[in-house]
Every structure is written in C-alpha cells, then in structure tokens.
Amino acid sequence: MIHHGSKQDPAQSANAVMAAPLTHQFPAFPASWYLFCRADQLSKPLSKRILGRQLVAFKTRSGKVSVMAANCSHMGADLGCGVVVGESIQCPFHNWKYGADGVCHHIPGANSIPAFARQVNYPVEERHGYVFFFNGPEALFPLPFFDGENPADFKAGRVFSNIAQAEWFMVAAQGFDAQHFQTVHDRRLLQPPQIDSPSPFARRNRWLAEIIGEETRDRVLRILVGKTVNLTITNWGGTIFTVKAEFPRACSRFLVFFRPLEGKQTQFDAIVYSRCGSSSLGLVARRWFTLAIFSLKIKKSAIPNIGQHTLFQPMQT
C-alpha cells in the first residue's frame, strides 16, 4: 500500500497499482446491477432473499416497478405477503402503505407518519421482460448493453442459470484469464488479447480465437458458422459481462449477471439476444450456440476449497 507523502520509485508505484487485491478486500455484494426476476412474475408482490437480505419487488397499477427492503419498518412483516393497492404496496400486518419510492404515506388511524416509516429503495429498470435493480442508493452506471447497440432493436431469450462453487470475483476473473479460456472453453488464441477501459466502471477484453473443441456443439459451430470467433467481453461493475461473439457467418450476443451467494458461491444468469424481426427459431439457436460458447460441461476444478464439487452446477429454469 502506498501512503500519502511516502517516497517510492514510479516503477514500484505502477506495480503496486497493478497488483491484485487480497481476497478479503473484495466487497461481499458489489455496487452493480442484478437480475431480480421476470417481469411477468409481478402479478403480485414477489419477496426473495438476495444479496444477503430480503427484498420485495412489485408493480403498481400504472406499471411502475419497485424493489425495496421487504421487512416492514413497523414490525418487520414481509411486504411480499401484502398486496398492491394503486401505486402502493400494503403491509399484511397493519395495512401500512408504502409508495414505489419506499416512503410510507398511510397508517390507519394515524394523523402523522413517523420518520422511520420508510423502506430502503433501489434503482430499478425493466428491460426485455426482466426486472433489474442496482445495489446502492443510486446507479453508478446505466444498465449495460452491447456497445453501439439500442436495446429496443433486440429481443431476449429465456434466462439460463448456473451455480459456481467459487466467489464472484474468481468467476468474473475468468473473462480475462487467457489460460482458462484455452483450457476450459477449448479455444486457441490466434493473437494477444486487447484490453481497454471504455468506461470508469468497465473493462473490455477482445480476442480472436479458433474453435478447437471436439464436443458436439463445437463441431456444429465450425460447420454452421465458421471455425473462428472474434470475442468481445466487457465487465461492468465486476458482476456483469456483455459478450459479443462474431463468427464468420453469424453473431451471438448475451449478457451474464453474476450474483454472490452465501457460502462462497456465485449464481450466474445469462440472457441471449437476437435482433427484432428474426425468427423465434433463430433466438433458440443462438441460445444453443451460447451454451457452446460457455462450454458448460461438467469439469473438475482445481480452485482451492471446492473439494469434489464441479465448478459449474446447472440449475433448473
């Protein structure tokens, strides 16, 4: 660590800046965007434990979506068991009503609202049929999408999820780990990776690779779309990847949201996109190709503390 006023060689300073943080220095739940649920799940309030706390999402009569602390500030009842009344969510225990901003505005029989009657509220965005929230009082960066692309020009496929038996920063680091890329994903790099920072909260990695895997999906990829891929991976906030895979005869785009779980595990949720106007079959095919890019085969991992678990465990969706 470099202290203010200390004298240090510039080269040593550069090395200090480039050194990876110690594992205990990573936040448990980074300030970033996270996938909460599908929008069609909000026909009634939805409460779930996420990022180490209980949160509730609901949609008001006018269509505004809110994500806030689920335990009522009065006596801790779960607002997810309540109901939406107009533009508010009503607590099931004493009928306190909270607006989409988390502020209580009605208490039966009370003439005034106490200052404590408010819920922690999170920035929210609904996009392509999914609800996302930012872990913080205000979003530090917009919900990411692909460079130069308009979300309105795309449609999203069904999310697929996996559990990684590792902490989020170890999973996220794989996007910049060339040896891992070649070893696990069966791709041979044809040139050195190009890494830059398109935003203060983003790091981008671009590489050209040859598909050398012998899994069925890899063989089909080579036949249908070509044997090389230009891959652009941009990490946002540490927990989000936007991935664009350009083959000679096709292009695949998907987003991956990493969510830290308790017990040093990480859930990742991936959503595949295709341009509006393309066939539903095309979206299904891209989802299939994305699974090939991920190469989600069960492999033993040498990461410490994983033991006999596989690195990735498929989940039912």
Side-chain angles (χ1 to χ4, degrees), residues 95-316:
N95 283 351
W96 287 29
K97 292 180 182 178
Y98 297 88
D101 60 358
V103 177
C104 179
H105 60 82
H106 175 74
I107 299 176
N111 294 322
S112 61
I113 307 296
F116 72 83
R118 59 193 310 126
Q119 304 295 107
V120 175
N121 186 253
Y122 299 89
V124 174
E125 184 163 340
E126 181 179 350
R127 181 196 286 173
H128 295 123
Y130 295 99
V131 174
F132 305 90
F133 74 99
F134 192 90
N135 183 33
E138 61 181 42
L140 300 178
F141 53 89
L143 179 63
F145 203 62
F146 309 103
D147 290 344
E149 305 281 14
N150 184 350
D153 296 333
F154 290 83
K155 56 185 177 180
R158 179 170 55 92
V159 67
F160 62 86
S161 303
N162 274 262
I163 297 293
Q165 304 298 318
E167 294 183 81
W168 67 267
F169 50 84
M170 297 177 71
V171 180
Q174 294 172 13
F176 297 85
D177 186 341
Q179 187 60 46
H180 165 85
F181 182 73
Q182 296 180 88
T183 302
V184 174
H185 296 272
D186 291 330
R187 306 291 187 260
R188 178 187 293 121
L189 294 181
L190 300 178
Q191 61 187 36
Q194 301 176 35
I195 300 175
D196 64 355
S197 180
S199 163
F201 296 97
R203 297 295 182 271
R204 180 171 54 195
N205 192 5
R206 290 173 286 189
W207 45 28
L208 174 65
E210 181 184 5
I211 303 168
I212 60 173
E214 290 304 319
E215 296 286 332
T216 299
R217 286 191 176 96
D218 283 340
R219 292 200 300 268
V220 172
L221 276 175
R222 286 195 292 269
I223 293 170
L224 296 182
V225 298
K227 66 179 183 179
T228 61
V229 57
N230 264 303
L231 196 63
T232 301
I233 302 176
T234 306
N235 181 286
W236 289 87
T239 64
I240 304 169
F241 278 166
T242 63
V243 183
K244 184 176 181 180
E246 298 175 274
F247 303 91
R249 296 186 293 277
C251 181
S252 180
R253 300 173 179 85
F254 57 95
L255 266 64
V256 187
F257 293 84
F258 299 105
R259 175 157 57 89
L261 301 176
E262 295 168 20
K264 296 184 177 180
Q265 296 180 321
T266 301
Q267 176 168 330
F268 73 81
D269 302 299
I271 305 174
V272 179
Y273 295 83
S274 66
R275 289 194 177 276
C276 294
S278 61
S279 67
S280 298
L281 180 61
L283 189 55
V284 172
R286 281 179 169 80
R287 189 175 187 272
W288 192 84
F289 287 149
T290 300
L291 286 170
I293 295 167
F294 265 118
S295 205
L296 293 180
K297 46 198 171 187
I298 303 302
K299 281 179 174 272
K300 296 294 182 182
S301 173
I303 296 178
N305 82 20
I306 291 179
Q308 296 303 309
H309 295 290
T310 56
L311 179 57
F312 293 113
Q313 294 182 345
M315 297 177 61
Q316 298 296 322

